[in-house]
Amino acid sequence: MLSIAARRAVSGRSSSTTIAAAIRIAAKPASSSARFQAHVVDIGRPMDNIARDIPPAFSKESATTPSSVPQTTVHPVTTALPQDYNEFWRKVPLWKDVPVKDFLSYRWSTKNMVDNKPQLLNFLRATVPDQVPLDKEGTRTQTRDEYIEDVFAGITAATMSVRMTPYILSRINWRDPRHDPIARQFLPLKSIMLPDHPKLTLDSLGEEADSPVKGLVHRYPDKVLFLATSVCPTYCTFCTRSYAVGADTATVTKRSLRPGRQRWDAAIGYIAGMPQVQDVVVSGGDSYYLTPDQLRTIADRILTEAPHVKRIRFASKGLAVAPSRVLSPKHWGGGGGRENEGDGWAEALIDVSKRARREGKQIAWHTHFNHPREISWVTKLASQRLYEEGVVVRNQTVLLRGVNDDVETMGALIRGLADMNIAPYYVYQCDMVKSVEHLRTPLQTILDQESRLRGSIAGFAMPSFVVDLPGGGGKRLACSFESYDRTTGVSRFRAPAVKGHGGQKDGRVYEYYDPVDSLPAPELL
């Protein structure tokens, strides 16, 4: 329960001051029930105005409760205060003295980003213990230097460069980094990599073949993918767009999609000239790397120049890897000064979302959580702010071996997202990407997960379990395969609605291949 001081801090204030007060008091609040995209309270109005909206039958004046019974003032829910407030980043030696106001500053976060090899080396030397468990049972260990050597050998073999935010680095269990589900997504280990599947290609989804304009993919009749940038706040080792995203690596020279007026003009012009297009996904890279002005410009231009577009989605992993950007500064009491100023990205998203709503359209944020431990009280506060502001947020998860391929973990993630009013939208079969064979699962895993989870979670909170078909077939329900041979690991799908340019995809069969090491008879491949 909240302390008396905390309750006084919460009572009668807007969400921004409520959150700030709760952080300062460091109280543990009572849990709030899950509210999945339900009615949004207008938190900007004074409490007196809200009281005037209460129906007369329930107003204070008409109450008939005896005076001897204490009167309880009922206030609307304005924030989902976290139960697990703790300064988790202080477990990292480099940040043991960092106060909450700095850690929650997006400016501080960008200054302390680990985005090159020297920074990563210094961080690992300061953070990793002398001995690291080599197996899950802890019966064998390796030295810190051996672990670091394994990481850097993995980086050399990987298709993605290194970039990690302080937030996501703080969520890793550094006492056992080899088996940590978060580290497994972002820090490649050469010792666990497997040979690439012989059927994979660098652009595994065939996006470039469906690009009528550079940086714009038109695969579905009524939807386009606008790749506005090629930078992310944190790089996933399993990125399906490794052909373009991030800096060049030892194995891949990137076909960069940097922001540029000429390229954007061509993409938006194409959208404006296609009246059948109703849905635009703005991605990259990551929409978090658009400036607030760029985000507003893209949304405003599409809404104005392409009135036939009904929905715009900004795809960003930012909520999972740098949630404080949504809160800075007024939502956590950061105070004045340039160091604690916010940059306005969240405000830009909220503003364009409100504009779209006034026009009967929708702007949503599509984010990317893969494990429950990526969720913290910071995420909950950020998600609550977006929910109160009416921003629709959906999540897309990638099924990854050793990360979320057990039913308990996936179920906990789906429920955790729904509790934050983030719609669990997709669970993807991991794409056939170079250097990540150790992260892929057989198709049977995703089929089993859906089968066991469906019915245990409310239907409206259940994601679709899908395969994004190699070669450009688009997303299909994993269970919609026409055939699946577990011996050879080959599953076959059709995508009748996906025509491609000139109808060249009509009648095409698309194949997905299980990882070779999962086959009962790999010699039959």
Side-chain angles (χ1 to χ4, degrees):
M1 298 294 291
L2 284 175
S3 66
I4 294 174
R7 276 178 277 160
R8 287 173 179 167
V10 170
S11 177
R13 298 189 182 184
S14 68
S15 64
S16 59
T17 54
T18 298
I19 294 171
I23 290 177
R24 287 195 296 271
I25 296 170
K28 280 193 172 184
S31 62
S32 59
S33 61
R35 299 174 305 282
F36 190 78
Q37 299 300 339
H39 177 66
V40 179
V41 176
D42 182 356
I43 62 168
R45 295 178 293 163
M47 293 303 294
D48 321 355
N49 295 343
I50 294 174
R52 283 199 292 270
D53 292 340
I54 299 174
F58 298 95
S59 66
K60 187 175 180 181
E61 289 75 17
S62 66
T64 58
T65 307
S67 57
S68 58
V69 179
Q71 299 293 307
T72 301
T73 302
V74 179
H75 298 303
V77 175
T78 57
T79 184
L81 294 172
Q83 297 189 68
D84 53 350
Y85 172 85
N86 66 91
E87 298 184 349
F88 53 84
W89 60 91
R90 291 183 184 264
K91 294 179 182 178
V92 176
L94 293 174
W95 302 325
K96 63 183 178 65
D97 298 321
V98 174
V100 64
K101 70 178 182 64
D102 287 342
F103 185 78
L104 292 188
S105 162
Y106 186 64
R107 291 183 182 275
W108 182 91
S109 180
T110 54
K111 285 183 179 180
N112 289 275
M113 187 92 67
V114 173
D115 60 1
N116 59 53
K117 290 182 179 179
Q119 288 177 341
L120 179 62
L121 179 60
N122 291 337
F123 179 89
L124 294 177
R125 282 176 173 170
T127 307
V128 177
D130 293 339
Q131 297 291 320
V132 173
L134 195 57
D135 54 23
K136 290 186 176 180
E137 295 74 25
T139 58
R140 295 181 298 147
T141 62
Q142 65 178 164
T143 66
R144 175 196 298 116
D145 288 345
E146 289 171 335
Y147 171 76
I148 293 174
E149 183 179 349
D150 199 359
V151 169
F152 277 82
I155 292 171
T156 299
T159 60
M160 299 298 294
S161 55
V162 172
R163 180 191 290 269
M164 299 180 74
T165 61
Y167 175 85
I168 206 66
L169 286 164
S170 299
R171 302 304 293 169
I172 293 172
N173 173 18
W174 290 106
R175 296 185 300 276
D176 187 12
R178 287 188 65 89
H179 306 104
D180 182 86
I182 300 176
R184 190 172 174 87
Q185 300 176 57
F186 308 113
L187 289 176
L189 295 175
K190 184 65 170 68
S191 62
I192 66 173
M193 288 183 176
L194 298 171
D196 286 339
H197 195 285
K199 294 289 188 178
L200 67 75
T201 58
L202 184 60
D203 178 11
S204 63
L205 302 183
E207 290 184 336
E208 290 186 304
D210 283 331
S211 293
V213 174
K214 184 178 181 181
L216 187 133
V217 181
H218 191 179
R219 173 169 296 150
Y220 304 93
D222 67 345
K223 185 184 83 171
V224 297
L225 170 65
F226 176 22
L227 304 175
T229 181
S230 56
V231 184
C232 303
T234 290
Y235 291 136
C236 307
T237 59
F238 51 91
C239 180
T240 194
R241 214 158 283 135
S242 57
Y243 67 88
V245 172
D248 292 347
T249 67
T251 58
V252 180
T253 300
K254 305 300 174 88
R255 302 191 276 278
S256 180
L257 297 170
R258 292 185 179 90
R261 179 62 181 267
Q262 186 175 1
R263 186 170 72 81
W264 285 11
D265 284 347
I268 295 173
Y270 179 88
I271 295 169
M274 288 287 171
Q276 72 269 35
V277 171
Q278 296 189 332
D279 196 333
V280 177
V281 180
V282 182
S283 186
D286 192 303
S287 293
Y288 236 37
Y289 260 81
L290 298 173
T291 67
D293 285 345
Q294 288 173 334
L295 188 150
R296 289 180 193 272
T297 296
I298 289 173
D300 288 341
R301 286 192 62 186
I302 292 174
L303 290 172
T304 301
E305 299 175 31
H308 48 276
V309 171
K310 306 298 183 185
R311 292 164 295 278
I312 302 174
R313 317 178 214 167
F314 285 95
S316 169
K317 196 173 173 65
L319 196 57
V321 299
S324 63
R325 191 179 195 184
V326 176
L327 299 172
S328 299
K330 62 182 179 180
H331 296 89
W332 44 268
R338 181 172 177 78
E339 183 64 25
N340 288 330
E341 288 178 2
D343 71 342
W345 191 93
E347 287 73 15
L349 179 66
I350 290 166
D351 288 347
V352 297
S353 176
K354 289 179 178 178
R355 176 195 164 175
R357 195 177 303 112
R358 287 192 299 269
E359 297 178 12
K361 300 179 180 182
Q362 185 187 86
I363 286 180
W365 183 349
H366 280 208
T367 192
H368 177 188
F369 289 83
N370 287 328
H371 194 275
R373 288 220 326 251
E374 294 167 12
I375 298 171
S376 74
W377 61 267
V378 186
T379 325
K380 294 173 185 176
L381 295 184
S383 301
Q384 181 63 19
R385 185 203 174 185
L386 295 167
Y387 178 60
E388 291 179 355
E389 295 283 7
V391 177
V392 174
V393 184
R394 304 186 186 101
N395 185 73
Q396 301 182 163
T397 292
V398 178
L399 179 62
L400 300 167
R401 192 190 320 191
V403 175
N404 54 20
D405 56 337
D406 61 286
V407 171
E408 292 73 21
T409 298
M410 187 64 76
L413 175 63
I414 293 170
R415 292 181 180 92
L417 292 165
D419 287 349
M420 293 190 296
N421 298 297
I422 296 175
Y425 178 40
Y426 279 144
V427 173
Y428 283 99
Q429 181 76 2
C430 185
D431 293 329
M432 298 180 64
V433 177
K434 287 177 63 64
S435 303
V436 298
E437 196 72 354
H438 61 288
L439 292 176
R440 292 204 304 124
T441 68
L443 185 74
Q444 191 63 50
T445 302
I446 199 169
L447 298 174
D448 291 343
Q449 281 207 344
E450 180 178 18
S451 175
R452 293 182 60 187
L453 286 170
R454 189 165 296 282
S456 70
I457 298 172
F460 59 82
M462 269 292 286
S464 295
F465 291 74
V466 301
V467 182
D468 208 345
L469 297 175
K475 302 171 187 66
R476 301 295 291 173
L477 291 174
C479 61
S480 69
F481 58 84
E482 291 195 349
S483 65
Y484 179 30
D485 187 334
R486 283 289 285 121
T487 303
T488 62
V490 179
S491 50
R492 293 182 171 88
F493 298 79
R494 291 184 189 270
V498 178
K499 304 297 184 184
H501 298 301
Q504 80 272 23
K505 295 183 179 182
D506 278 346
R508 180 173 169 183
V509 175
Y510 297 88
E511 295 183 337
Y512 182 85
Y513 302 89
D514 288 352
V516 174
D517 74 314
S518 72
L519 303 181
E523 69 277 3
L524 296 179
L525 181 70

